[in-house]
Amino acid sequence: MTRTRPTQQGMALIEALIASAVLGIGLAGATQLTLQTLHTASESRQHTVAQHLAQEAMDCLHARTALCPTQERLEVQGLLYDRQSRRTPRGNGLVGSSVDDLQVTVEWTASGTRPAAGQDKPDKNRIEWHSSVSALPGWVGVSLP
């Protein structure tokens, strides 16, 4: 008596297809994670550049130099940044006002962004810094011992 084994034709092919599908889903997930990480790193770099530009303008305003530009467009690492700085005397410009308000705004359009539905241009990123500085020198009102 001879026994014949039941044949399993095609099972190896089905196993290979399932394994390929699982591998493909895993690779797609890893690719999406990598792309999101690169996008986040790019946004972080752009925000850091904007922070440095704002700090530079604020330092210029604090130094009270007449060379501080009020508005300028700068290109850093292939991206355009619009920087505005303003010094406003507190007290509606009254004589004797001893405090100036400082404001610095930096705007940029993130690279790789698309306009939202119904818009012509993509949204701009923006940071604003506010500070104040005394218009009187620090030594005024100090008495000698």
Side-chain angles (χ1 to χ4, degrees):
M1 177 164 158
T2 317
R3 286 195 152 190
T4 59
R5 287 182 139 170
T7 58
Q8 295 183 354
Q9 294 177 346
M11 287 306 286
L13 180 61
I14 292 173
E15 290 173 356
L17 287 173
I18 291 173
S20 296
V22 169
L23 179 64
I25 291 170
L27 289 175
T31 301
Q32 287 294 330
L33 182 63
T34 302
L35 291 175
Q36 184 64 35
T37 301
L38 290 173
H39 179 70
T40 302
S42 176
E43 284 182 347
S44 177
R45 179 187 52 81
Q46 293 168 12
H47 196 268
T48 300
V49 168
Q51 293 280 352
H52 284 287
L53 293 173
Q55 181 68 49
E56 183 179 85
M58 191 61 78
D59 288 345
C60 187
L61 288 174
H62 273 283
R64 298 181 180 279
T65 178
L67 301 175
C68 298
T70 57
Q71 187 170 4
E72 60 186 330
R73 177 168 262 193
L74 303 160
E75 183 176 352
V76 179
Q77 297 177 349
L79 198 63
L80 290 175
Y81 293 86
D82 293 317
R83 178 171 64 182
Q84 299 175 0
S85 55
R86 183 174 60 206
R87 174 187 290 272
T88 310
R90 194 178 290 176
N92 298 327
L94 298 174
V95 177
S97 175
S98 62
V99 177
D100 289 343
D101 290 323
L102 310 176
Q103 179 182 358
V104 174
T105 304
V106 179
E107 290 183 338
W108 71 100
T109 302
S111 62
T113 57
R114 297 182 190 145
Q119 291 183 344
D120 294 337
K121 298 179 183 177
D123 290 334
K124 286 195 164 210
N125 294 321
R126 177 186 182 126
I127 59 170
E128 281 190 30
W129 283 16
H130 299 271
S131 184
S132 58
V133 63
S134 174
L136 297 174
W139 54 266
V140 172
V142 177
S143 62
L144 296 173

